Every structure is written in structure tokens, then in C-alpha cells.
Amino acid sequence: NAGVTQTPKFQVLKTGQSMTLQCAQDMNHEYMSWYRQDPGMGLRLIHYSVGAGITDQGEVPNGYNVSRSTTEDFPLRLLSAAPSQTSVYFCASSIPGTGGYTFGSGTRLTVV
Amino acid sequence: RKEVEQDPGPFNVPEGATVAFNCTYSNSASQSFFWYRQDCRKEPKLLMSVYSSGNEDGRFTAQLNRASQYISLLIRDSKLSDSATYLCVVNFYTGTASKLTFGTGTRLQVTL
């Protein structure tokens, strides 16, 4: 049982480049979300999805896009990377209405 | 004011000590509460839910005071392996999605 799988684990981008962070879960969870974690800021919600075909913005959505074509996958796209997007990104999934999230192991992104 | 506030610590305690962390939240309509544990450079993992009547899981006891909007976590007989950051998490379910708000965490260091 893999849980939530994120790739890549580490990434360095140049300012202006785009990339997609991958997230897949095998628990048949309807709810998936992306967070970023910065020192002193806690985890902040970027985007979330309550099911295939449905996505919505979280607290800090600017500069990011998401899509949810299947229950399993929830990729996060950085459109034009900026140094302010240097962070650790976590994908999480859960059964709707519960707080028992399962997180992926994270992607450490550096934008130079 | 942050939605979820925690003392960042660090709390440095000897092995075998009892330590308590507190957390306050601002949204009185919050519906469920959790403690997550995050090890250095790892993803957060659910430690325990927090129920109104208080609940215990081995050496860990969680309490909720809705009137004061306050959550606590007590760890008895601390082990070296308890060293981690403890995240207070508050959930507000909108009917279609859960809005989890994370505190910035309290760091615990258990020493010999």
C-alpha cells in the first residue's frame, strides 16, 4: 500500500521555468490537496479537490494550477517559477469530512 | 491574529519527563481538532484526534476546551523518539470540503 506518492523529491528551477509536481494516491480518497510549508508559516493550502473534475483554490493559489482528471492523480503546475515559490510542497489526501490526512513525503523546490 | 497559534518552543525536556503543549484557535465554528507529528524534513503524520471529552492514546493525552478555544497535548514519560515538531490542526467542514488550518508547530527535544 503506497499511500500518497510525490515526485520529484527535489527540484531546482530557474526563474521563469515551469514544471509539474506529481501526486498520486492509491487509497481511493476523494479529497486531495496541495500545501506549501515555509519556515515560521506553517502549512498553507494552495489548491484542493473534492473529487475528479472538481478543484478549488486555497489560501495561496497564485502562480499555481491544478487539475483532477482521475481520483488517483492531482498534479500541481507552476506556471512561471519565482524565487518566492521556493518551499517544501506536500500533497495530501483524505476521506471528505475527516481530518485524518495522509501526506506524501514532499517535494523540496528551489527557484534560483 | 493567526487562526491557530502555538508556542514554537523548543521545549527541551529530559527523558521520562511530562510535557504539555497548548494551542489556541480563532474560528469558534471549527468542528474537529487534531495533533499531527512532523519529524525533521519529513511529512506530517496524524498523531491523534482531539475529542471534547478528552482522549488518551498510550502516553499521549489530548484535551479540547471549546469555550476557551484551546487544545492541549500532554506527553507522559517522554522518550527520545518523541523528539519532533507537534502541529495543532483545526478543521472546518463546509459541507463539500474540509478546511484544515495548521499551526506552525511546537518543537520538542527530548534529551538523555
Side-chain angles (χ1 to χ4, degrees):
Chain A
N1 189 355
V4 178
T5 303
Q6 282 185 244
T7 56
K9 292 192 183 304
F10 301 93
Q11 183 71 50
V12 178
L13 287 180
K14 293 182 179 178
T15 297
Q17 286 185 316
S18 62
M19 79 160 294
T20 299
L21 307 185
Q22 301 291 344
C23 176
Q25 53 95 5
D26 61 0
M27 297 171 286
N28 203 33
H29 284 169
E30 290 295 322
Y31 186 85
M32 296 186 74
S33 54
W34 276 101
Y35 288 85
R36 59 177 288 174
Q37 187 173 36
D38 303 290
M41 300 290 288
L43 285 118
R44 292 182 292 168
L45 182 64
I46 304 171
H47 285 285
Y48 66 95
S49 169
V50 299
I54 306 168
T55 64
D56 207 346
Q57 295 182 351
E59 183 185 352
V60 288
N62 292 340
Y64 308 96
N65 271 357
V66 292
S67 60
R68 184 93 180 271
S69 55
T70 66
T71 299
E72 294 77 22
D73 299 299
F74 190 43
L76 177 73
R77 279 183 290 280
L78 277 72
L79 308 173
S80 176
S84 60
Q85 293 179 304
T86 293
S87 188
V88 181
Y89 291 84
F90 288 104
C91 178
S93 74
S94 76
I95 298 169
T98 74
Y101 280 30
T102 301
F103 282 85
S105 58
T107 296
R108 293 184 177 276
L109 176 69
T110 302
V111 182
V112 297
Chain B
R1 182 187 171 191
K2 289 182 181 176
E3 289 190 53
V4 179
E5 296 211 54
Q6 296 181 250
D7 180 343
F11 284 58
N12 294 300
V13 302
E15 229 183 348
T18 295
V19 61
F21 308 135
N22 299 323
C23 165
T24 57
Y25 61 95
S26 61
N27 184 354
S28 59
S30 298
Q31 294 147 320
S32 52
F33 310 88
F34 308 88
W35 284 100
Y36 276 71
R37 170 193 169 129
Q38 187 172 25
D39 293 294
C40 188
R41 301 178 75 82
K42 298 285 190 181
E43 71 273 22
K45 292 185 178 177
L46 179 64
L47 178 66
M48 60 194 301
S49 301
V50 186
Y51 301 120
S52 298
S53 54
N55 50 298
E56 197 172 297
D57 183 0
R59 297 181 293 107
F60 299 83
T61 301
Q63 297 276 356
L64 167 64
N65 184 323
R66 283 189 185 269
S68 302
Q69 294 179 208
Y70 160 105
I71 304 156
S72 66
L73 178 68
L74 181 80
I75 305 175
R76 290 182 300 279
D77 188 23
S78 299
K79 312 290 185 194
L80 292 174
S81 57
D82 294 333
S83 298
T85 297
Y86 291 83
L87 307 175
C88 174
V89 183
V90 172
N91 185 33
F92 177 71
Y93 186 55
T94 66
T96 55
S98 290
K99 183 181 184 298
L100 278 193
T101 304
F102 287 79
T104 54
T106 299
R107 193 156 69 88
L108 171 66
Q109 183 66 50
V110 181
T111 57
L112 287 170

